[in-house]
Amino acid sequence: MAVHLLGIRHHGPGSARNVQQYLEALKPDIVLVEGPPEADELLRYTDHAELKPPVAILVYQTDALQQAVYYPFAEFSPEWQAIHYAKKAGIPVRFMDLPLTHVMAIKEDEVERKTRSPLQELAAAAGFEQEDRWWEILIEHRQEHDSVFEAVQEAMTALREEQPTPSEKMEQLREAWMRKLIRQAEKEMYTEIAVICGAWHVPALANMPKQKEDNELLKGLPKVKVETTWIPWTYDRLSLYSGYGAGIESPGWYDHVWNHPTDDGTLWLSKVARLFREHQRDVSVAHVIESVRLATTLASLRNLSKAGLTELNEATLSVFCNGEEILMQLIREQLTVSNRIGTVPDEIPKPPLQVDIEKIQKRLRLPASADWKDYMLDLRKENDLERSIFLHRLELLGIPWGQKSLVSGKGTFKEQWRLQWDPSFILYIIEKGVWGNTLEEACNAWLVHRCKEEKSLQAIAGLMEQVIPADLSGAANAIAERIQNLAAATNDIIELVAVLPGLARIIRYGNVRKTDAALVRYIVESMITRICIGLPLACAGIDEETTRKLTDDCNSINHSIHLLQEPEYVQEWHVCLEKITWMQQAAPMMRGFSTRQLMDAKKLEKETLNRLFYSSLSRALPVADTAAWLEGFLQGSGTLLLLDENLWGIVHEWVQQIPEEDFVQALPLLRRTFSQFTPAERRKLGEKLKQGGKPGVLMKEAVAGINREAGKQAIPVVMELLGYPKTS
């Protein structure tokens, strides 16, 4: 009866090849692999054709999903090769680490952490700054296993004796459990026991203490309930240190080394050349040949058996990139790390919500990809509309698969999304699975819960804006009722002003998604009436910050009311603005804003407008008030001053009459006003001032430059475009 300890580094093609060769020569009758025993049941899927690495075992605590651990595997992972050998040979294979049902129950503050890994210690002793580089040269470049596992055991034994790390409770428990399972295999009369574990643990398994000591150490461990499943993983995630501390910097490179162990760099650099050509870089065969020669020379100078990734990168930087470091980032993302994603069989047990989401992904042809994918959705098309609804539902459920981008133009029927799948999304799906077995059911239940928890009217109205594009009628009805109740109970008109524009957009654009927005219309109608009645008084006695926000919100309301195209709304709004315009107690900026909106709507006679201008810009008023009124009037548009010579004259005269000491006070306010104009508007205003600000000068120059005959020829075409019948 013999126990064979194979100390490995997780995710290394050299270690994987060594394990493969050793097991084929040994022919053990049982294989024990470092991993969570709760996942033993999942091992029956490892020979399934659709379980393609990179994949990971996800272990999570059922009542605290933030407690989760991932055990990732790549094809070049030693553990994966050991499991596959056992499956192919028809012998038992088991995980042998401390069960996570105990690990997750042990409080975090009871666990001490090592500050430095054992490989870092050995690398430093050998004169290497990076442990990855040391391990690659020592292990990954080897083609035969020889006595590598005996050497690893000897090195780790010396390291644990000469440079002991602080005692760790978790390490002691893990190693005691590993020894427990080795003893169990011996009791079951297995004669050749192969143990694949992290190199650091080998000495602790080779020199076993008495069984009684381990039993005493493991006695009375706390427990929690955990679940396990297989999930797809990505090489990008494999490059991170997750789960049990396993992480590598270059999984794409290791994949290449595993599949092409004899490559001298030619195949790798051919991939680099292909990548550069795809990105319109001029690369020839001569570049590849010269790079291989340079990498090989560097390896010889460094007494290496072959060129590694470091030498190949240095050659690439010199020959392909001409010393441009930024191009190396492309190689790192696309080749060194890579964007590969694994697959898992459909029959693997999954939560119902995950099953439903995956079915929708397949039906809508939205595959989970480790790379970024862009989709421009036309909501007038049935499939694109369903895609949009699906992505909005995931977003509401807190699964950030898609990032929505702004689409230029005035249309409301297009959406642009960028999708990139992250394996950790599975945990989000499991977490939200308590709200329902289907995506629609879970979204409705989750949003109704959020609606009940929210206290802010503005936050709940924001939920309604999100619910409509997700086509969730159940949640929409509950949220609409909540908005109605809160809106009826509030006396804060300013809050209603902030909420109204979003609800108005729902009414205006709901039909684009074939959504019935009637449930919002009644709320909007009552809000508009209350705002129009209470807004004048709300404009009095407010500070500058509140005034500025209120003016911006009212600008949105003005835009929304006109978009709704309801005459009664417009009439109510104009009556409200007229009250604010003549109300001296109202904030000056709001009075200026109201005056501008009435002028644009042609509700003010020229004489009345002049009177308002002169009274609001009177020298008898504080200069800060007059500047604020002017800012409200000119908000966001300098074209008015360019085209209306009468208003230009009034403003020009007012600025000229401001005393010097008052002008200094008003200058920051005026600068803020004019900074909102476009660069073209500011330039035209400057030109007008250079010419003395004389009314009509620029307009006359513009009119003088018009080709009237050419304009007449365009009139019939414009009339036809507008739908008017042709005239003979």
Side-chain angles (χ1 to χ4, degrees):
M1 187 176 295
V3 178
H4 305 270
L5 302 174
L6 281 61
I8 52 94
R9 185 190 183 207
H10 307 292
H11 316 309
S15 289
R17 191 169 290 106
N18 291 336
V19 167
Q20 186 184 58
Q21 293 173 355
Y22 191 99
L23 294 178
E24 288 174 352
L26 175 66
K27 294 182 172 49
D29 46 9
I30 187 173
V31 174
L32 301 180
V33 177
E34 182 182 336
E38 294 92 341
D40 279 348
E41 180 64 22
L42 297 179
L43 291 174
R44 62 191 177 96
Y45 295 102
T46 52
D47 55 357
H48 196 291
E50 294 182 13
L51 187 67
K52 299 177 181 178
V55 291
I57 294 173
L58 167 62
V59 187
Y60 58 92
Q61 186 175 331
T62 55
D63 58 350
L65 292 179
Q66 67 275 15
Q67 291 274 25
V69 177
Y70 304 96
Y71 285 79
F73 297 89
E75 187 180 3
F76 50 80
S77 299
E79 300 94 334
W80 183 262
Q81 291 301 320
I83 293 168
H84 267 264
Y85 170 83
K87 288 290 183 179
K88 185 178 178 181
I91 62 174
V93 56
R94 301 171 186 169
F95 284 126
M96 58 174 289
D97 207 343
L98 179 66
L100 286 172
T101 185
H102 299 307
V103 174
M104 292 183 177
I106 298 173
K107 294 181 180 179
E108 192 67 23
D109 56 5
E110 295 179 9
V111 182
E112 299 174 13
R113 301 291 180 187
K114 292 193 293 287
T115 57
R116 194 173 187 185
S117 76
L119 292 185
Q120 282 179 318
E121 298 286 355
L122 290 174
F128 288 82
E129 294 183 2
Q130 296 180 340
E131 62 177 83
D132 285 351
R133 176 71 169 157
W134 171 79
W135 185 266
E136 179 180 349
I137 292 173
L138 187 69
I139 302 295
E140 306 304 338
H141 288 183
R142 299 174 69 95
Q143 296 299 315
E144 301 293 337
H145 72 275
D146 298 333
S147 302
V148 65
F149 295 115
E150 289 84 348
V152 168
Q153 179 175 341
E154 183 179 350
M156 290 300 166
T157 301
L159 183 64
R160 291 183 72 141
E161 290 176 354
E162 300 297 329
Q163 300 183 22
T165 56
S167 175
E168 291 191 6
K169 179 179 179 180
M170 186 60 71
E171 288 297 300
Q172 293 174 5
L173 293 175
R174 291 180 63 196
E175 291 169 352
W177 196 277
M178 292 180 189
R179 292 191 292 264
K180 175 182 177 180
L181 291 192
I182 292 174
R183 293 189 186 103
Q184 181 178 326
E186 291 174 332
K187 288 180 181 178
E188 294 174 9
M189 303 306 294
Y190 290 108
T191 56
E192 298 291 340
I193 303 170
V195 176
I196 290 82
C197 64
W200 174 255
H201 302 298
V202 171
L205 305 184
N207 304 304
M208 288 197 180
K210 293 181 180 179
Q211 182 176 349
K212 182 179 179 181
E213 295 179 17
D214 282 343
N215 291 342
E216 194 65 30
L217 189 63
L218 297 172
K219 184 178 179 181
L221 291 178
K223 294 178 67 175
V224 294
K225 187 177 180 181
V226 300
E227 294 287 346
T228 63
T229 187
W230 283 109
I231 64 171
W233 204 246
T234 66
Y235 274 176
D236 181 57
R237 293 282 294 183
L238 197 63
S239 66
L240 303 175
Y241 287 80
S242 58
Y244 54 132
I248 53 176
E249 295 182 354
S250 48
W253 162 252
Y254 275 9
D255 180 90
H256 176 83
V257 172
W258 171 255
N259 289 291
H260 307 284
T262 60
D263 178 33
D264 63 351
T266 303
L267 286 176
W268 176 260
L269 290 170
S270 297
K271 291 181 180 180
V272 173
R274 187 184 306 116
L275 176 65
F276 274 30
R277 292 188 191 109
E278 290 172 356
H279 288 78
Q280 288 75 50
R281 298 288 301 183
D282 187 15
V283 177
S284 68
V285 176
H287 286 85
V288 176
I289 296 172
E290 184 59 32
S291 296
V292 172
R293 183 182 294 117
L294 178 56
T296 304
T297 302
L298 288 172
S300 298
L301 291 172
R302 294 166 182 173
N303 295 319
L304 302 178
S305 60
K306 62 182 294 187
L309 182 60
T310 300
E311 289 72 37
L312 292 170
N313 280 343
E314 290 175 0
T316 301
L317 178 63
S318 177
V319 179
F320 282 77
C321 305
N322 295 318
E324 297 180 31
E325 288 279 358
I326 192 169
L327 294 175
M328 296 300 296
Q329 183 62 27
L330 176 65
I331 298 173
R332 171 171 172 73
E333 292 174 356
Q334 299 295 321
L335 295 179
T336 308
V337 174
S338 179
N339 53 12
R340 179 177 297 186
I341 186 171
T343 61
V344 298
D346 290 335
E347 55 262 39
I348 285 180
K350 302 173 185 176
L353 178 59
Q354 182 182 347
V355 173
D356 185 57
I357 289 174
E358 289 179 355
K359 283 182 179 178
I360 298 174
Q361 284 177 318
K362 290 181 180 179
R363 180 170 60 83
L364 298 179
R365 298 188 297 280
L366 290 172
S369 170
D371 200 5
W372 285 107
K373 287 199 173 182
D374 292 294
Y375 294 87
M376 178 66 77
L377 305 182
D378 187 337
L379 303 184
R380 297 168 296 184
K381 299 178 180 178
E382 191 64 34
N383 190 64
D384 280 3
L385 179 60
E386 289 189 40
R387 284 176 167 183
S388 173
I389 291 171
F390 174 59
L391 293 172
H392 277 285
R393 287 179 177 178
L394 289 179
E395 191 175 46
L396 279 170
L397 210 55
I399 303 169
W401 182 25
Q403 295 181 10
K404 187 179 174 184
S405 305
L406 293 176
V407 180
S408 59
K410 296 183 178 179
T412 60
F413 53 83
K414 285 191 176 181
E415 287 182 350
Q416 184 169 351
W417 292 83
R418 294 201 78 196
L419 307 184
Q420 184 184 42
W421 188 258
D422 189 308
S424 63
F425 294 164
I426 300 297
L427 202 57
Y428 298 151
I429 294 172
I430 294 171
E431 181 182 13
K432 291 301 190 297
V434 297
W435 298 101
N437 293 335
T438 67
L439 180 60
E440 182 175 3
E441 179 186 338
C443 282
N444 275 312
W446 168 243
L447 288 168
V448 169
H449 169 75
R450 282 186 62 188
C451 177
K452 291 178 180 177
E453 294 294 314
E454 286 286 357
K455 306 299 180 185
S456 164
L457 176 59
Q458 194 166 353
I460 296 173
L463 278 181
M464 177 62 84
E465 285 193 75
Q466 294 175 282
V467 162
I468 293 298
D471 192 21
L472 298 167
S473 57
N477 287 321
I479 294 171
E481 182 179 355
R482 180 97 164 119
I483 291 173
Q484 187 173 347
N485 293 338
L486 286 177
T490 186
N491 293 319
D492 190 347
I493 297 297
I494 294 179
E495 185 178 22
L496 295 180
V497 169
V499 166
L500 183 62
L503 298 178
R505 282 194 295 271
I506 294 173
I507 297 175
R508 177 67 178 87
Y509 297 123
N511 61 338
V512 176
R513 297 176 165 276
K514 305 176 183 178
T515 302
D516 182 12
L519 73 164
V520 184
R521 184 172 292 276
Y522 176 74
I523 301 173
V524 170
E525 288 176 353
S526 62
M527 276 191 181
I528 289 176
T529 300
R530 290 189 61 193
I531 287 171
C532 290
I533 293 172
L535 185 58
L537 289 177
C539 292
I542 54 178
D543 58 31
E544 182 181 350
E545 183 179 351
T546 305
T547 302
R548 188 170 299 280
K549 185 178 184 310
L550 181 60
T551 305
D552 290 339
D553 290 339
C554 285
N555 195 29
S556 299
I557 287 180
N558 183 73
H559 180 68
S560 301
I561 287 176
H562 285 89
L563 278 179
L564 292 175
Q565 299 177 350
E566 296 287 349
E568 60 270 25
Y569 298 167
V570 177
Q571 185 177 356
E572 283 186 75
W573 180 239
H574 286 161
V575 171
C576 173
L577 292 176
E578 188 173 357
K579 290 179 181 178
I580 297 172
T581 297
W582 296 101
M583 182 177 168
Q584 293 303 314
Q585 298 88 345
M589 186 179 296
M590 275 299 300
R591 287 192 284 111
F593 166 81
S594 301
T595 303
R596 169 66 179 276
Q597 303 311 318
L598 292 174
M599 185 198 77
D600 289 347
K602 296 181 171 52
K603 295 296 180 180
L604 292 177
E605 299 291 339
K606 183 176 180 180
E607 293 77 10
T608 305
L609 180 60
N610 287 343
R611 184 153 55 92
L612 280 168
F613 246 91
Y614 281 113
S615 63
S616 301
L617 301 181
S618 170
R619 293 182 60 184
L621 297 174
V623 68
D625 288 354
T626 56
W629 187 95
L630 186 62
E631 182 178 354
F633 184 84
L634 296 175
Q635 189 181 45
S637 174
T639 306
L640 184 66
L641 284 177
L642 287 170
L643 299 180
D644 194 318
E645 299 295 345
N646 182 50
L647 294 181
W648 170 267
I650 296 173
V651 174
H652 189 269
E653 181 183 351
W654 170 70
V655 173
Q656 285 185 321
Q657 292 179 355
I658 299 177
E660 183 177 352
E661 62 275 10
D662 292 340
F663 182 78
V664 172
Q665 179 185 350
L667 186 58
L669 304 175
L670 293 172
R671 182 177 295 163
R672 184 173 61 192
T673 300
F674 285 86
S675 67
Q676 299 175 18
F677 302 160
T678 65
E681 288 172 337
R682 294 199 298 269
R683 186 178 64 254
K684 288 289 186 182
L685 289 171
E687 292 174 357
K688 195 166 187 176
L689 282 172
K690 284 181 181 179
Q691 296 168 357
K694 297 177 182 178
V697 173
L698 291 180
M699 186 62 67
K700 289 176 183 177
E701 290 181 357
V703 172
I706 294 177
N707 188 331
R708 296 183 180 277
E709 291 303 320
K712 288 180 181 179
Q713 295 176 13
I715 290 175
V717 178
V718 174
M719 297 297 287
E720 187 176 350
L721 289 173
L722 293 174
Y724 290 96
K726 292 183 178 179
T727 57
S728 56

